[in-house]
């Protein structure tokens, strides 16, 4: 059994949706045990409303505090040793659990995980790897906000960790690695990318050169590396563009009858589109570079997103992603 | 009369579309004279196919060479002194024209303009300012690819130049300036934004703090400043997202009858959407910080985009944007 410590209290829709998602995962996979971490009475009540009988693969581990979504990570670490994040990660540290998942305060998960679990040897900085929907399957981008002001060797390590993840967890045979830059030619970019390019070129990675912003989603590369400031800005900008689109449709729906008919006819297609490009399908973003499997789910995670994040954690543990990264960085 | 030197040879759809666009502008504004720069015979023939009689406000200035779209800017400057870009900018330098517009090689326009026209005193680096469509009107973002590895004073100068442009050319009363970062709080960001924040805060600008990627298009700020590497990556990523969206509609159109009916019903709405969010409406991106008005149009510019870029140049000259920036930076 793979034991997954699950932060039942983190996320905008916690605890109702998150607990529902975890219960979906337990039904779907017979090989996991979930340890719900958080306020025992709250968790018990929620689980009882979903599964009337006690489940042999569900455990509860009490944690009295909750880290707020806006709380500074360092403060959360220092002052809330009994938070669901802190307690959950300690279960992983002690070996009582194999992986930790949270949809709570990203910065706090990142900081607490790095301190409690430690970094894999030769990893300077952990990275948040987000799987983005592309024209065909998914592309993994890192770092998406964990490390800013990166140096070339950081990006190189991101490329290596991302390649392992793409291969082992996403099943891509020989993942193509791209370096995000502002021109395809080797001499286009900023100081960071210009210095990173030769490191990637001379490595054993399947490096395909620079990738421009317009090609992130066009299935040109399987792994895209960039500084966390840029990754985070791009990710959030993408959310803004999608929101603009859907706001437009909403406005139109209140408009002419013609538009209304059009939207009704398109509903099944738009649902397919949403399904294909929805973050929910991809579960969470792994925090790569720490000594155990840690998955950060989107703060707005629905039950389905949580379920997928848990299944992704199961897959990550099974594929020994941490051990493989450790081995890859040792050589 | 405002005299506009126009690169008739630059752009993916040159010379046909670009010349058609310039002819549209001359019809729309009675206060401009256009000097078409490029191969005389080609220009003459194209103009004749649009305007049968000679026009008193149209002139042609021969330039025998063309800078290719992929040509390195430094090489273009050194080796093609007779290119339409070089010759056109020299017309501005000598005072024979008040502004220059090109949809050609962006890097070459930028480099040649900076060398020939010189930078405004106290401007360290010129910036490409792109007007992005937002939920309500437009937001000006700079830099979008001209300057990478910026320092805090560069971003400060961008903010100042962008504010003048927003006020004088886009007509925003007291433009709100935002600093692109990865969190709204003052202490969130990278080394560059953390050092830029106090400069903006202590200035006379209407600084509203950090802006996240998701809020670029949500009308939170009127002017958004960032390093050119990030600006360019975001801009191109946005293009990629929009492309993905429209590819989806195209695929659906070939799909079920229901989707087909839906799309036909939605056609007027989609057209409105396209109009509102189309770069064509906003013409070109000014290169701010050089000693004259220079507008860089999108390489894929249609006739309409060119027309709007020319009208934007006229407005920029009339509003004395260069003089205002010079005055603002002197104090």
């Amino acid at each position: 059994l793979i034991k997954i410590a699950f932060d039942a209290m983190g996320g905008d829709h916690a605890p109702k949706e998150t607990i529902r998602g975890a219960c979906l995962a337990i039904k779907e996979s017979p090989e996991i045990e979930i340890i719900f971490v958080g306020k025992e009475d709250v968790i018990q009540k929620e689980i009882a409303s979903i599964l009337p009988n006690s489940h042999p693969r569900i455990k509860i581990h009490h944690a009295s505090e909750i880290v707020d979504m806006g709380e500074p990570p360092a403060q959360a670490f220092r002052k809330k040793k009994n938070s669901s994040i802190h307690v959950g990660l300690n279960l992983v540290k002690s070996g009582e659990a194999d992986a930790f998942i949270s949809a709570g305060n990203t910065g706090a998960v990142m900081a607490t995980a790095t301190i409690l679990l430690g970094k894999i040897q030769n990893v300077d900085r952990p990275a948040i790897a987000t799987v983005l929907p592309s024209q065909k399957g998914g592309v993994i981008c890192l770092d998406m906000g964990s490390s800013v002001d990166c140096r070339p060797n950081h990006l190189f390590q991101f490329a290596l960790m991302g390649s392992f993840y793409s291969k082992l967890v996403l099943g891509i045979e020989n993942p193509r690695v791209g370096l995000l830059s502002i021109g395809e030619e080797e001499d286009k970019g900023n100081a960071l990318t210009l210095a990173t390019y030769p490191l990637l070129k001379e490595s054993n990675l399947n490096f395909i050169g620079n990738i421009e912003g317009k090609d992130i989603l066009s299935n040109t590369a399987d792994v895209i590396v960039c500084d966390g400031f840029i990754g985070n800005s791009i990710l959030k900008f993408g959310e803004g563009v999608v929101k603009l689109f859907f706001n437009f449709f909403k406005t139109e729906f209140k408009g002419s009858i013609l538009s209304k008919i059009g939207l009704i006819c398109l509903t099944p297609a738009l649902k397919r589109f949403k399904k294909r490009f929805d973050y929910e399908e991809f579960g969470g973003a792994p925090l790569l570079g720490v000594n155990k499997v840690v998955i950060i789910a989107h703060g707005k995670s629905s039950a389905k997103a949580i379920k997928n994040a848990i299944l992704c954690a199961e897959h990550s543990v099974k594929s020994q992603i941490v051990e493989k990264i450790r081995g890859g960085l040792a050589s």
Side-chain angles (χ1 to χ4, degrees), chain A residues 301-312:
Chain A
S301 284
S302 64
K304 188 170 140 203
I306 294 291
K307 182 199 79 178
N308 283 326
I310 291 174
L311 298 178
C312 170

Side-chain angles (χ1 to χ4, degrees), chain A residues 55 137 150:
Chain A
H55 193 289
C150 286

